[in-house]
């Protein structure tokens, strides 16, 4: 079994915050796979052909700064472009294509070098790292997730209407759950946590207990 903690779940379920906090606590590396799908969409929208996108993504630099990931394309920081709702939509559409998932598979696996890794995504426990030692599936109601996303976007200076946000989230969920390839479903051996009425601290302390049991053996 690999020294990996996978955290899968729908968008805005709190996966990102949990991933960063638990990675710091365990001193593990982070793979934010959604960011790779977003980078794929970013290059695709810029007109880069799909057989060149992997190379472009491998050329990006991912910097971890006080728990957050910053992405640079050469000297240009593209983090906020990747985090925008437009890129999220394009990434969601592209992520249902076989070619996209195949192109990103090895790039995602290359983040694991034998030392601890926290991998955040939709299919980390089912497809990318089936041998991960601990698998979590984090979920929350669409209203709670829309509220969290609203606050997150406001903090980034982006104003989005709540009703549009709920609609977008539900539409994206449906697409992610019903796609044929790597649908968003909990791995059989995962622990499902519904965070609708839990704070990040509560989810974090529960995850820490599970991780301690699993990784301190
Ligand atoms: O987690 P996120 O919102 O940054 O992900 C952006 C899109 O990428 C999302 O719509 C689904 C897709 N994605 C995926 O299909 N598989 C992953 N492992 C991660 C993200």
């Amino acid at each position: 079994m690999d020294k990996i903690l996978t955290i899968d779940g729908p968008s805005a379920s709190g996966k990102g915050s949990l991933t960063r906090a638990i990675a710091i606590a365990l001193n593990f590396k982070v793979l934010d796979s959604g960011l790779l799908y977003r980078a794929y969409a970013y290059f695709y929208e810029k007109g880069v052909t799909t057989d060149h996108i992997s190379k472009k993504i491998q050329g990006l630099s991912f910097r971890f700064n006080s728990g957050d990931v910053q992405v640079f394309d050469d000297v240009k920081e593209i983090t906020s472009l990747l985090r925008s709702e437009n890129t999220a939509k394009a990434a969601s559409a592209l992520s249902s294509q076989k070619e996209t998932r195949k192109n990103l598979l090895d790039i995602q696996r290359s983040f694991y070098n034998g030392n601890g890794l926290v991998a955040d995504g939709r299919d980390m426990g089912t497809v990318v790292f089936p041998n991960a030692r601990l698998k979590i599936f984090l979920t929350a109601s669409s209203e709670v997730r829309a509220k969290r996303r609203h606050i997150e976007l406001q903090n980034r200076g982006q104003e989005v209407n709540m009703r549009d946000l709920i609609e977008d989230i539900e539409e994206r969920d449906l697409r992610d759950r019903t796609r044929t390839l790597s649908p968003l479903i909990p791995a059989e051996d995962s622990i499902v946590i519904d965070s609708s009425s839990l704070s990040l601290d509560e989810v974090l302390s529960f995850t820490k207990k599970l991780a301690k049991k699993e990784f301190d053996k």
Side-chain angles (χ1 to χ4, degrees), residues 8-12 15 32-35 37-38 82-83 87-89 91-93 95-96 101 108 120-124 128 149 172 175-176 179 182:
D8 289 306
S11 58
K15 283 177 302 155
D32 178 345
S33 62
L35 212 46
Y37 280 88
R38 287 164 184 263
L82 298 188
R83 295 282 186 210
T87 307
K89 274 186 206 159
S92 176
S95 69
S96 62
R101 309 205 74 85
Q108 292 173 90
D120 157 351
R122 306 291 194 287
D123 59 346
M124 298 295 101
V128 182
R149 180 51 55 89
R172 205 180 311 157
R175 209 161 33 204
D176 290 347
R179 69 180 175 220
S182 297

Side-chain angles (χ1 to χ4, degrees), residues 61-183:
S61 55
F62 295 86
R63 294 186 203 155
F64 296 91
N65 209 337
S66 40
D68 211 355
V69 187
Q70 286 179 297
V71 189
F72 290 82
D73 181 9
D74 202 2
V75 290
K76 184 180 173 203
E77 186 179 357
I78 57 166
T79 323
S80 58
L81 283 171
L82 298 188
R83 295 282 186 210
S84 72
E85 284 302 293
N86 282 343
T87 307
K89 274 186 206 159
S92 176
L94 281 166
S95 69
S96 62
Q97 294 181 12
K98 191 174 178 182
E99 189 186 19
T100 309
R101 309 205 74 85
K102 185 171 153 277
N103 285 340
L104 286 176
L105 192 59
D106 287 343
I107 299 181
Q108 292 173 90
R109 289 188 174 150
S110 73
F111 277 71
Y112 180 57
N113 60 8
N115 294 318
L117 178 72
V118 185
D120 157 351
R122 306 291 194 287
D123 59 346
M124 298 295 101
T126 47
V127 175
V128 182
F129 300 114
N131 289 327
R133 234 188 271 168
L134 180 60
K135 300 179 182 180
I136 288 182
F137 191 88
L138 188 62
T139 182
S141 71
S142 49
E143 288 77 14
V144 167
R145 288 188 287 127
K147 264 185 214 147
R148 288 181 189 157
R149 180 51 55 89
H150 195 236
I151 294 169
E152 197 184 312
L153 290 172
Q154 268 182 333
N155 289 342
R156 293 203 177 103
Q158 296 173 36
E159 212 27 80
V160 187
N161 172 292
M162 261 304 273
R163 201 178 309 156
D164 290 348
L165 216 46
I166 296 180
E167 253 175 44
D168 274 2
I169 281 185
E170 289 182 344
E171 197 184 302
R172 205 180 311 157
D173 276 3
L174 187 70
R175 209 161 33 204
D176 290 347
R177 285 202 173 104
T178 54
R179 69 180 175 220
T180 331
L181 292 166
S182 297

